[in-house]
């Protein structure tokens, strides 16, 4: 850096501009007055208590409800016997997720503990059922995250599976806690398939065959193969790794003290063979909406299992009456898109209203649609609310490989508003030079 300054390639003013925000952040944090942190156990406990409620809320709002057939969820708080089954059900360290280096397992609430605390009058029991592990461990395993378990013998594996099935058989509802360990989801953690590791699918199939109501809680940082579960398991929640308050947050959601409203930030494939799969693809030589289009595959649909932006709630919503403030706008102008959102169900619930945009022509090929705005709202049964989005220069700006720069161009634009990337409520406008 000194040589750059000496050569005039970096000016003192530029250096000041780079340093100033760093010093400003340190000033606002009070690091000039108190440069050293108090790392005592007392401070740790105080900070943990201070942020627990926020962590609980954040975890609950991040969960995505993928399936809820027959309105199985939320569960009645009077449910007498609940079985929590699966390798992630009583794990604390895994709930903190990969690279949570300073998190302490003893501070974390497991799903089993969270449900027991939420329903003290219910009989809640836990069974691991199956054991999962990497086939090829990395140098991080055991160093970061929970310690590696000693592999079960075949006899112990049979005993654990049998015990889980017996527990499920005498329960009123079964909460399956499946997915991946946190060490399976960071460095040295690529996979050759998206299947549930180990014998988790076998366990899930056997428990489903008992005829009990089953709720699947999935823990992972990536989509896993839910092709069988999406047809046979009535309720599925994608929980990711929610952190310290995971167990309490999940329990809140299961009984309706919190409502699911999260939406998928990825397109969820049916199988690994569909990857790469994403909603913001460019138009191909045969568009998906062509009358004669069937599939890109002869053995599976082209469509994903769950689209980008998808997520259910504990109620139903209608999104209607899309209105644009104008049908044309200048290059630097903006247009407002407004819709009416109505809670058409019987419960107060959350919905995330999403706006997607498509530029029909430009200096480079444009995606069929792109997310350009979203708002999460809470509505009471029967309540209506207008939601508006501004479509301005920032929403229409994109990097053009043809021009090697950011561009805003005159074009015709399509607008969709709905609750996922498959939204059908549509209008269009034009941007003039």
């Amino acid at each position: 850096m000194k040589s750059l300054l000496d050569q005039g390639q970096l000016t003192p003013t530029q250096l000041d501009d780079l340093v100033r925000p760093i010093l400003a952040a340190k000033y606002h944090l009070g690091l000039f007055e108190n440069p050293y942190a108090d790392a005592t156990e007392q401070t740790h406990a105080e900070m943990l208590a201070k942020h627990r409620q926020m962590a609980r809320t954040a975890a609950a709002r991040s969960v995505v409800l993928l399936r809820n057939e027959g309105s199985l969820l939320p569960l009645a708080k009077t449910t007498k016997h609940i079985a929590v089954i699966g390798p992630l059900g009583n794990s604390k360290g895994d709930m903190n997720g990969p690279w949570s280096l300073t998190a302490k397992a003893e501070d974390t609430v497991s799903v089993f503990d969270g449900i027991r605390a939420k329903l003290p009058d219910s009989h809640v029991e836990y069974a691991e059922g199956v054991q999962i592990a990497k086939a090829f461990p990395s140098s991080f395993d055991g160093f970061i995250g929970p310690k590696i378990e000693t592999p079960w013998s075949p006899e112990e594996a049979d005993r654990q599976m049998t015990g889980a099935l017996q527990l499920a058989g005498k329960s009123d509802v079964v909460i399956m806690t499946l997915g991946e360990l946190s060490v399976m989801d960071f460095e040295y953690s690529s996979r050759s398939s998206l299947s549930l590791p180990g014998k988790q699918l076998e366990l899930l199939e056997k428990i489903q065959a008992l005829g009990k109501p089953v709720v699947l809680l999935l823990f992972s940082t990536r989509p896993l193969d839910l092709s069988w579960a999406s047809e046979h398991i009535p309720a599925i929640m994608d929980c990711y790794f929610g952190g310290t308050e995971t167990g309490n947050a999940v329990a809140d959601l299961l009984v309706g003290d919190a409502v699911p409203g999260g939406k998928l930030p990825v397109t969820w494939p049916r199988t690994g063979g569909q990857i790469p799969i994403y909603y913001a693809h460019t138009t191909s030589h045969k568009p998906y909406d062509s009358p004669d289009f069937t599939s890109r595959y002869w053995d599976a649909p082209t469509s994903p299992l769950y689209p980008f932006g998808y997520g259910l709630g504990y109620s139903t919503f209608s999104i209607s009456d899309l209105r644009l403030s104008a049908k044309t706008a200048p290059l630097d102008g903006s247009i407002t898109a407004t819709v009416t959102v109505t809670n058409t169900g019987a419960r107060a619930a959350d919905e995330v209203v999403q706006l997607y945009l498509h530029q029909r022509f430009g200096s480079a090929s444009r995606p069929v649609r792109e997310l350009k705005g979203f708002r999460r709202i809470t509505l009471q049964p029967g309540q209506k609310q207008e939601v508006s989005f501004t479509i301005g220069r920032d929403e229409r700006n994109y990097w053009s490989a043809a021009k090697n720069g950011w561009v805003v161009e005159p074009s015709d634009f399509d607008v969709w508003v709905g609750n996922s990337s498959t939204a059908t409520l549509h209008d269009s406008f034009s941007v003039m030079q």
Side-chain angles (χ1 to χ4, degrees):
M1 187 176 287
K2 184 178 185 303
S3 64
L4 292 175
L5 283 166
D6 293 341
Q7 297 166 16
Q9 296 183 45
L10 177 67
T11 68
T13 300
Q14 289 175 314
L15 185 58
D16 289 343
D17 289 342
L18 293 169
V19 171
R20 187 177 292 108
I22 299 172
L23 295 178
K26 290 184 175 182
Y27 171 78
H28 289 299
L29 288 169
L31 295 181
F32 291 116
E33 292 80 10
N34 300 291
Y36 302 108
D38 179 1
T40 64
E41 284 298 319
Q42 179 181 351
T43 300
H44 169 78
E46 290 172 354
M47 294 301 291
L48 187 68
K50 179 180 178 181
H51 296 293
R52 272 197 181 277
Q53 185 55 53
M54 185 179 294
R56 185 170 182 164
T57 300
R61 288 174 67 86
S62 299
V63 167
V64 182
L65 180 62
L66 297 176
R67 185 172 163 88
N68 192 24
E69 295 301 301
S71 298
L72 175 57
L73 296 176
L75 301 174
K77 292 184 178 180
T78 54
T79 304
K80 293 299 184 183
H81 199 143
I82 299 173
V84 178
I85 296 175
L88 281 306
N90 201 27
S91 172
K92 296 184 176 184
D94 285 305
M95 294 301 103
N96 292 318
W99 284 116
S100 51
L101 302 183
T102 60
K104 297 182 178 181
E106 59 266 29
D107 295 330
T108 304
V109 181
S110 71
V111 172
F112 177 48
D113 289 338
I115 295 174
R116 285 197 302 176
K118 173 63 66 173
L119 301 174
D121 296 330
S122 301
H123 189 56
V124 184
E125 293 185 83
Y126 172 71
E128 192 169 355
V130 295
Q131 188 180 46
I132 58 176
K134 286 182 178 179
F136 300 96
S138 78
S139 57
F140 292 108
D141 299 350
F143 171 68
I144 296 174
K147 299 300 181 183
I148 300 174
E149 292 185 8
T150 302
W152 293 343
S153 66
E155 294 75 19
E156 177 65 11
D158 288 341
R159 189 184 71 79
Q160 291 279 354
M161 177 79 77
T162 300
L165 293 172
Q166 290 174 345
L167 174 60
K170 66 179 184 179
S171 299
D172 298 319
V173 65
V174 182
I175 309 297
M176 298 296 297
T177 54
L178 309 180
E180 296 180 312
L181 305 175
S182 60
V183 295
M184 295 174 171
D185 278 16
F186 61 106
E187 276 191 77
Y188 290 94
S189 298
S190 297
R191 291 193 62 191
S192 62
S193 80
L194 297 180
S195 61
L196 287 166
K199 294 186 176 182
Q200 292 184 98
L201 181 57
E202 178 184 341
L203 174 64
L204 183 62
E205 291 174 342
K206 289 181 176 180
I207 286 180
Q208 185 271 344
L210 298 175
K212 299 289 183 176
V214 179
V215 179
L216 171 58
L217 304 179
L218 192 70
F219 296 92
S220 176
T221 62
R222 64 182 139 219
L224 298 178
D225 188 344
L226 295 180
S227 53
W228 184 88
S230 66
E231 295 182 4
H232 297 89
I233 303 302
I236 304 174
M237 279 187 177
D238 187 23
C239 301
Y240 307 99
F241 294 114
T244 307
E245 285 291 306
T246 296
N248 287 329
V250 166
D252 290 340
L253 289 165
L254 288 175
V255 300
D257 285 347
V259 293
K263 301 290 185 174
L264 289 179
V266 296
T267 301
W268 197 291
R270 297 174 184 274
T271 68
Q274 285 186 307
I275 298 173
I277 183 171
Y278 47 93
Y279 82 100
H281 56 80
T282 54
T283 302
S284 67
H285 66 285
K286 181 181 284 189
Y288 290 2
D289 57 359
S290 295
D292 60 342
F293 180 84
T294 54
S295 178
R296 298 247 178 267
Y297 310 95
W298 63 259
D299 61 345
T302 298
S303 61
L305 185 62
Y306 301 111
F308 177 94
Y310 174 84
L312 303 175
Y314 284 162
S315 189
T316 55
F317 291 85
S318 70
I319 301 174
S320 61
D321 193 20
L322 173 58
R323 289 108 56 203
L324 299 181
S325 60
K327 294 294 284 186
T328 61
L331 206 58
D332 288 330
S334 63
I335 285 177
T336 301
T338 303
V339 294
T340 300
V341 185
T342 307
N343 184 342
T344 57
R347 291 179 176 272
D350 287 8
E351 180 62 286
V352 179
V353 188
Q354 304 164 44
L355 177 132
Y356 292 85
L357 201 63
H358 167 60
Q359 182 175 327
R360 293 184 184 175
F361 51 85
S363 58
S365 180
R366 306 299 297 124
V368 294
R369 62 177 68 186
E370 291 181 293
L371 178 67
K372 292 297 181 179
F374 61 90
R375 276 189 60 193
R376 181 167 176 163
I377 61 174
T378 302
L379 295 180
Q380 298 298 317
Q383 184 181 1
K384 296 183 178 181
Q385 181 176 328
E386 288 193 346
V387 176
S388 296
F389 299 95
T390 299
I391 307 171
R393 184 184 181 93
D394 288 345
E395 285 72 34
R396 293 180 279 108
N397 192 27
Y398 76 96
W399 179 269
S400 171
K403 293 189 174 181
N404 196 33
W406 294 98
V407 298
V408 177
E409 300 170 325
S411 179
D412 296 331
F413 288 82
D414 291 297
V415 181
W416 294 271
V417 181
N419 58 11
S420 79
S421 57
T422 60
T424 57
L425 189 61
H426 172 265
D427 206 338
S428 60
F429 65 92
S430 299
V431 172
M432 317 302 287
Q433 183 67 49

